Amino acid sequence: MARIDIDFLVLGSGIAGLTYALKAAKFGSVAIITKKKDIESNTNYAQGGIASVFGKDDTFDLHVEDTLASGKGLNKREAVEIMVGEGPERINELTDFGAQFTLQQNSKIFDLGMEGGHSRKRIVHAKDYTGNEIERNLIKTARNNHNIEIYENHCAIDLITEHQVGQKNFSKSTHCYGCYVFDTLHDEIHVFAAKVTFLATGGAGQVYLHTTNPGIATGDGLAMANRAGAVLANLEFMQFHPTTLYHPDASSFLISEAVRGAGAVLRDEMGEQFMQKYDKREELAPRDIVARAIDAELKKSGNECVYLDLSPIGAKNIPQKFPQIYNKCLEYKIDITKELIPVVPAAHYMCGGVVADYSGQTSVVNLLACGEVAHTGVHGANRLASNSLLEALVFSHRAAIVSTGSIKSIAQPPDAIPPWDDSGTLNADEWVLLRHDRQEIRKLMWDYVGIVRSNFRLGRAKRRIKMIFQEVEEFYRKTTITEGLVELRNLATVALLIVRCASMRKESRGLHFTTDYPLSDDTHYLRDTFIQQKVQDLNFVMNINN
Ligand code: FAD
Ligand code: SIN
């Protein structure tokens, strides 16, 4: 066990964490903690691109209005204006870091793609592997920076606040002093003590059985922030991506919305198009509408999937425009230049998160949050396609400017931070039960807290997940730490928090649709859903009957 002191502790090595780290490193020492290899992140799998105003026929106002229309009244206009207005400068900076985006033929102008909910072509992309292009270049730059140390295979367990230090908290605010971190290769838990802790642990797609997200996306940052006393908001707004490959071995591989932006259409098993029945924008309606339309078609027909027809793109253009999707489908013996792609929706993006201001500051002093883990107010009740890389980029930059400016005035974390206490814990032999718990949570969330919800389904999910949560907490107290146990505890926490937020919103809006309240109710619910208590203190969790 060691104590490592640094100025800036960055939890997560996706676009948010790396952007912040590269900027903070000019002002002090930076440690980046990341669960697996540094590249493994949601960022690395982003396909479609980053939305930003570069087109001649486009304006900031149009991008702002499209974002607000998608968010159904819950976006903070100021946050949206900041993101949209600062976007082009930040994207140009990515090219300075080495990212090569697709250009129009024989020109230096970005080839802009189209996606659902956008009124103009504005998706900057690197073919269909935009995220990997960004991630590789940010990591390369970070690795060459002598002020940045990257700790791979290190899993953040819990934020350190007055509570762990045993300090009496006389001020009203909680302070963050760093994090307990589990080195999974050496089975050791270290104290990373930092003046500023930057939470950039990404999303929570793994809470659902079917998700586009990689295995790292277990909502750890949301759960840690909740345990540290930070305010969270709007977790009911989990975005389901309408089109992921339906194949028993493909684990929800994404078929980018850019494919529909280029002309692909959805068809049922009879080969009929159906989107015209649901929205006049058809395949390019916002995601909540397309995902619900597919869900309705599947419920009506009893079929397992619908189909994407890429023939309008032109067979010879497909491999060149969408090489990743083309090759991945070929691995599953589907030639998308000739055949339809079977698709289903899957959990994709968490629109809510840890409440953060426009410089990333959360309700816990010296704890910042940016990227998918954060709630800035940009997305409202439904994120517009390709706005999340942009949000992460813009707000991480702003967080770096503000927090590096004040770093000299922040006190060193206390000497008295205790090492991790694992006294009384034992290696357990019940790991198979934990695996079952993880699967059960994911299935409950998929079945009862998915695209279409109801009071009955939410109640059922709550009762069952609550029981699992209580068992896991009990097990956690007695058992030596493993990464699987940390993740399971976080998954159970986040699942309960999502159910809690969904139960509080007694209306339908954006991504939250419930059959008991199928309409929006602006009089009572044109507002965010806040979680201010730790999950174990919520009456909702403690009282088995409510
Ligand atoms: P991430 O990139 O997910 O990074 C999180 C980091 O935190 C990872 O390094 C992870 O290992 C680490 N971490 C997590 N928990 C811990 C822990 N306990 N300890 C240590 N480290 C931890 N958005 C767009 O705008 N355009 C797109 O085209 C697009 N396509 C997408 C395609 C797919 C398949 C997916 C999954 C998402 C897509 N998104 C897209 C969403 C977007 O990629 C993410 O919202 C964004 O990349 C999030 O960035 P981030 O830095 O916040 O988190
Ligand atoms: C996609 O390529 O369809 C994903 C875009 C996004 O999530 O914004």
Side-chain angles (χ1 to χ4, degrees):
M1 285 194 203
R3 169 170 167 149
I4 295 145
D5 276 82
I6 57 265
D7 293 313
F8 304 97
L9 174 62
V10 176
L11 303 177
S13 59
I15 189 170
L18 291 167
T19 300
Y20 182 84
L22 285 169
K23 297 182 182 216
K26 293 187 189 127
F27 299 87
S29 54
V30 179
I32 300 179
I33 302 301
T34 189
K35 243 201 275 197
K36 302 285 180 197
K37 289 240 165 275
D38 52 12
I39 198 154
E40 191 58 8
S41 57
N42 277 8
T43 302
N44 189 43
Y45 297 93
Q47 292 185 2
I50 316 186
S52 200
V53 175
F54 285 97
K56 278 208 182 96
D57 62 345
D58 203 0
T59 65
F60 288 154
D61 280 348
L62 283 172
H63 190 180
V64 168
E65 291 311 321
D66 291 346
T67 303
L68 297 178
S70 184
K72 293 282 182 279
L74 289 192
N75 323 65
K76 285 198 193 127
R77 180 179 264 277
E78 193 186 355
V80 177
E81 285 173 352
I82 289 171
M83 176 186 78
V84 166
E86 297 180 12
E89 197 182 340
R90 297 283 79 75
I91 289 176
N92 286 330
E93 212 168 64
L94 283 179
T95 60
D96 297 341
F97 286 132
Q100 291 185 11
F101 297 117
T102 305
L103 302 175
Q104 293 175 16
Q105 236 178 5
N106 305 323
S107 115
K108 292 195 170 143
I109 297 172
F110 291 137
D111 172 59
L112 300 172
M114 186 67 171
E115 285 184 342
H118 290 275
S119 59
R120 294 289 185 277
K121 286 189 166 188
R122 61 168 76 99
I123 315 299
V124 178
H125 62 103
K127 298 204 169 169
D128 62 352
Y129 48 80
T130 311
N132 177 263
E133 182 66 19
I134 295 170
E135 182 73 14
R136 273 190 305 105
N137 283 288
L138 289 177
I139 282 181
K140 190 180 67 193
T141 316
R143 282 192 191 140
N144 288 333
N145 189 311
H146 64 273
N147 255 359
I148 299 178
E149 182 94 27
I150 303 181
Y151 294 82
E152 294 184 314
N153 302 303
H154 278 61
C155 176
I157 307 173
D158 257 322
L159 297 166
I160 300 168
T161 63
E162 283 87 354
H163 173 76
Q164 280 83 4
V165 180
Q167 288 174 340
K168 284 246 175 326
N169 193 353
F170 295 111
S171 83
K172 266 203 177 145
S173 325
T174 302
H175 292 69
C176 183
Y177 303 126
C179 192
Y180 289 110
V181 176
F182 180 41
D183 172 350
T184 54
L185 291 187
H186 301 99
D187 258 354
E188 287 178 349
I189 296 175
H190 304 303
V191 169
F192 280 77
K195 291 181 173 179
V196 172
T197 302
F198 185 79
L199 193 60
T201 45
Q206 289 291 327
V207 177
Y208 286 85
L209 189 60
H210 303 293
T211 177
T212 62
N213 293 190
I216 50 98
T218 48
D220 298 357
L222 298 172
M224 285 192 291
N226 175 261
R227 288 194 290 271
V231 178
L232 277 65
N234 287 6
L235 301 182
E236 68 273 37
F237 297 121
M238 167 58 78
Q239 182 172 74
F240 292 82
H241 197 291
T243 55
T244 69
L245 177 60
Y246 177 72
H247 187 284
D249 304 327
S251 69
S252 305
F253 174 73
L254 183 78
I255 309 294
S256 174
E257 192 154 321
V259 168
R260 275 175 284 132
V265 292
L266 286 160
R267 296 188 185 279
D268 63 18
E269 83 288 0
M270 306 301 288
E272 298 297 327
Q273 283 185 245
F274 56 82
M275 273 313 299
Q276 72 285 357
K277 289 188 279 180
Y278 297 90
D279 194 283
K280 64 176 187 313
R281 290 161 290 184
E282 303 189 356
E283 272 72 9
L284 290 180
R287 263 177 211 171
D288 55 332
I289 294 169
V290 183
R292 267 199 302 280
I294 295 176
D295 189 65
E297 288 291 312
L298 296 180
K299 286 197 172 119
K300 218 162 43 189
S301 65
N303 291 327
E304 306 257 299
C305 62
V306 295
Y307 298 89
L308 252 183
D309 173 3
L310 275 61
S311 59
I313 301 172
K316 73 172 186 327
N317 297 326
I318 293 170
Q320 190 259 327
K321 272 185 187 292
F322 302 108
Q324 184 180 190
I325 295 171
Y326 172 72
N327 287 318
K328 183 57 99 178
C329 288
L330 265 191
E331 278 175 33
Y332 297 106
K333 311 239 172 323
I334 305 168
D335 180 349
I336 65 174
T337 62
K338 300 191 186 104
E339 294 168 90
L340 305 182
I341 311 179
V343 289
V344 283
H348 182 60
Y349 181 85
M350 172 47 81
C351 292
V354 183
V355 174
D357 70 13
Y358 307 145
S359 315
Q361 182 59 58
T362 69
S363 57
V364 172
V365 180
N366 300 329
L367 175 68
L368 311 183
C370 284
E372 192 166 339
V373 74
H375 169 80
T376 58
V378 157
H379 305 305
N382 181 27
R383 173 179 68 97
L384 186 65
S386 288
N387 264 356
S388 55
L389 292 171
L390 185 68
E391 183 206 27
L393 199 57
V394 166
F395 289 97
S396 301
H397 168 85
R398 293 172 70 90
I401 293 196
V402 173
S403 57
T404 54
S406 59
I407 191 74
K408 288 212 172 82
S409 62
I410 301 175
Q412 290 290 345
D415 291 338
I417 298 174
W420 183 257
D421 181 9
D422 61 359
S423 53
T425 62
L426 294 168
N427 281 317
D429 49 11
E430 298 292 3
W431 295 116
V432 71
L433 297 185
L434 294 188
R435 243 195 338 269
H436 289 172
D437 281 350
R438 185 173 175 134
Q439 279 312 90
E440 204 176 333
I441 293 170
R442 299 182 69 203
K443 188 156 178 355
L444 286 166
M445 290 298 285
W446 183 258
D447 288 343
Y448 303 131
V449 198
I451 296 172
V452 175
R453 300 161 182 179
S454 69
N455 287 342
F456 177 78
R457 288 176 187 204
L458 290 178
R460 192 166 233 225
K462 178 176 71 176
R463 285 188 296 279
R464 295 179 182 198
I465 297 170
K466 196 151 65 171
M467 227 162 62
I468 299 173
F469 172 81
Q470 283 160 348
E471 279 174 19
V472 170
E473 282 296 300
E474 172 88 15
F475 191 78
Y476 183 83
R477 275 194 291 277
K478 294 188 199 149
T479 311
T480 312
I481 288 284
T482 64
E483 190 178 48
L485 182 55
V486 170
E487 288 186 344
L488 174 63
R489 185 182 188 218
N490 292 334
L491 285 169
T493 301
V494 173
L496 275 180
L497 294 174
I498 293 174
V499 175
R500 173 63 176 154
C501 286
S503 308
M504 285 197 279
R505 185 170 289 286
K506 298 195 185 310
E507 64 155 358
S508 293
R509 185 182 297 275
L511 298 160
H512 175 70
F513 182 82
T514 159
T515 52
D516 290 298
Y517 315 98
L519 302 178
S520 296
D521 172 0
D522 282 357
T523 311
H524 300 101
Y525 293 102
L526 194 58
R527 55 177 166 77
D528 293 334
T529 315
F530 291 108
I531 299 261
Q532 321 224 18
Q533 279 175 296
K534 300 181 187 182
V535 75
Q536 62 273 27
D537 296 336
L538 292 170
N539 283 341
F540 163 85
V541 173
M542 296 311 289
N543 179 355
I544 201 86
N545 296 318
N546 74 11

